[in-house]
Amino acid sequence: MKLDRLMGILTILLQNERVTAPYLAEKFEVNRRTISRDIDALCQAGIPVVTRQGSGGGISIAEGFKLDKSVLTASELSGIIAALKGIGSVSEQTRIERTLDKLGANSDAVVSLHEPVVIDLASHYKGELTAKIETIKQAIFEDKIIEFDYFYEKGESRRRIEPYIVVFQWTSWYVFGFCTERQDWRMFKLHRLWHITTTDEQFAKRNIPPEKRDFNHHLEDKYTLVAMFDKSVKYLLIDAYGLDSFHESGDGLYFEIGYDNKHYMISWLLGFGGKVKVLEPAGLAEEIQAIGKNIFDRYV
């Protein structure tokens, strides 16, 4: 576990100009003394980690450092490079490219930068997503409250939160933080978050309750869909929910899954046209039927 933590700390230090010991302690769920011992271990391994006290201080890797690849195995370097490439698809490139240069500075590099694993987490509006992530990340480092317009099932509202972590969960990016209005921890999807601004208000870091650290807890399913699909769309079910999400029943595919966003589920089901029949919940089937009638009326 210590080796995993050391690799994690090294990766964070390579990604960021400077971080604090409390941030690392919270990130890896250990105390500050453990982080201090980990920093000493990295220094003993030949990695020049610099610690500065006082205002604007923190932990960083000495500028211009070229990583001695003998410290890491080829598989460990491959993992770091793959992770950095994934981050680079939705983050500013300069720092990522500089880090990759450090990892492959010499011709006798242990591992090629042509990593066979390519992770591209960008969406069709990558520019906006990158800007959001950079704004939120800076606010997290500076302990500043952010404000944004949020669009969701019940409408839209202006939100204020204390940001803590940017999370990639399932297929979407979220910001996890403390909502000042609800006085509780919340996850906000970046696709639905717009017009973000960083305020001048600083906040004191809160201890995140253990149960709130389970991000799946914030994405709990509210409803259960039961449907029968045509066998011709099997590949689409596998693509969306996996091989075990259904079983063959007669001439069709019996499908049961939990969901929390009704509008998204309706849109997804409508994409199958006449190759799916909703069995439960009855209310969802009625809404789809009404939408189908409305579509028919528009074309007669």
Side-chain angles (χ1 to χ4, degrees):
M1 182 62 186
K2 180 178 179 179
L3 178 59
D4 292 340
R5 191 171 62 249
L6 289 175
M7 291 297 299
I9 292 173
L10 177 58
T11 303
I12 289 174
L13 291 176
L14 288 170
Q15 294 170 15
N16 302 280
E17 296 290 351
R18 185 178 293 110
V19 298
T20 64
Y23 171 81
L24 292 175
E26 181 177 339
K27 183 79 172 176
F28 295 100
E29 300 182 2
V30 295
N31 56 45
R32 293 181 63 178
R33 180 170 296 180
T34 298
I35 293 297
S36 296
R37 287 197 294 265
D38 290 341
I39 297 303
D40 290 339
L42 289 173
C43 290
Q44 292 171 11
I47 300 171
V49 179
V50 180
T51 302
R52 294 184 177 85
Q53 304 295 327
S55 177
I59 303 168
S60 61
I61 291 181
E63 187 67 27
F65 168 64
K66 298 298 182 181
L67 185 62
D68 179 1
K69 289 170 288 299
S70 65
V71 175
L72 307 173
T73 67
S75 61
E76 289 168 341
L77 278 170
S78 293
I80 290 177
I81 290 172
L84 289 174
K85 284 186 175 181
I87 293 169
S89 68
V90 288
S91 186
E92 290 182 331
Q93 292 295 311
T94 304
R95 188 177 300 161
I96 301 298
E97 290 168 353
R98 187 166 68 243
T99 301
L100 290 174
D101 286 341
K102 292 177 182 177
L103 290 173
N106 302 320
S107 59
D108 59 346
V110 175
V111 62
S112 170
L113 289 181
H114 298 294
E115 165 63 37
V117 178
V118 177
I119 306 171
D120 190 348
L121 302 177
S123 70
H124 66 278
Y125 73 113
K126 174 184 174 181
E128 290 86 349
L129 182 61
T130 300
K132 290 177 187 178
I133 291 177
E134 292 299 327
T135 297
I136 296 170
K137 185 171 67 174
Q138 190 63 35
I140 292 172
F141 288 147
E142 297 176 355
D143 298 333
K144 288 188 176 180
I145 290 176
I146 59 174
E147 295 182 349
F148 50 83
D149 292 330
Y150 196 66
F151 300 82
Y152 61 118
E153 186 175 354
K154 296 181 180 179
E156 60 183 88
S157 63
R158 189 72 177 170
R159 299 295 186 95
R160 284 168 50 89
I161 70 166
E162 301 168 2
Y164 280 74
I165 305 172
V166 177
V167 183
F168 185 78
Q169 189 82 348
W170 292 97
T171 60
S172 299
W173 287 92
Y174 298 83
V175 56
F176 172 75
F178 189 82
C179 179
T180 59
E181 178 183 353
R182 305 293 175 84
Q183 287 294 295
D184 198 4
W185 300 92
R186 291 286 190 271
M187 292 261 285
F188 297 92
K189 183 178 287 189
L190 296 195
H191 284 328
R192 302 177 185 171
L193 182 160
W194 292 90
H195 308 127
I196 182 172
T197 59
T198 302
T199 72
D200 293 328
E201 298 179 60
Q202 286 194 295
F203 61 91
K205 289 286 189 183
R206 305 172 188 264
N207 291 322
I208 304 175
E211 67 275 10
K212 300 294 185 178
R213 288 180 177 275
D214 179 7
F215 298 126
N216 286 315
H217 169 79
H218 299 274
L219 303 172
E220 289 182 344
D221 297 326
K222 300 176 183 177
Y223 318 101
T224 299
L225 168 72
V226 179
M228 189 68 72
F229 286 83
D230 189 274
K231 288 185 178 181
S232 64
V233 299
K234 178 189 290 188
Y235 73 102
L236 293 174
L237 298 183
I238 293 174
D239 182 53
Y241 290 100
L243 188 61
D244 299 325
S245 62
F246 60 88
H247 66 264
E248 296 194 17
S249 176
D251 295 330
L253 303 173
Y254 181 87
F255 178 87
E256 183 173 338
I257 200 75
Y259 66 98
D260 66 339
N261 188 314
K262 182 180 65 174
H263 295 298
Y264 169 80
M265 183 55 68
I266 288 176
S267 297
W268 182 69
L269 290 167
L270 287 173
F272 290 92
K275 295 186 177 182
V276 60
K277 180 178 182 180
V278 174
L279 306 178
E280 296 179 18
L284 186 68
E286 291 169 0
E287 287 193 51
I288 291 177
Q289 186 179 44
I291 292 172
K293 184 178 183 305
N294 184 50
I295 292 173
F296 177 81
D297 292 342
R298 284 178 179 267
Y299 288 91
V300 294

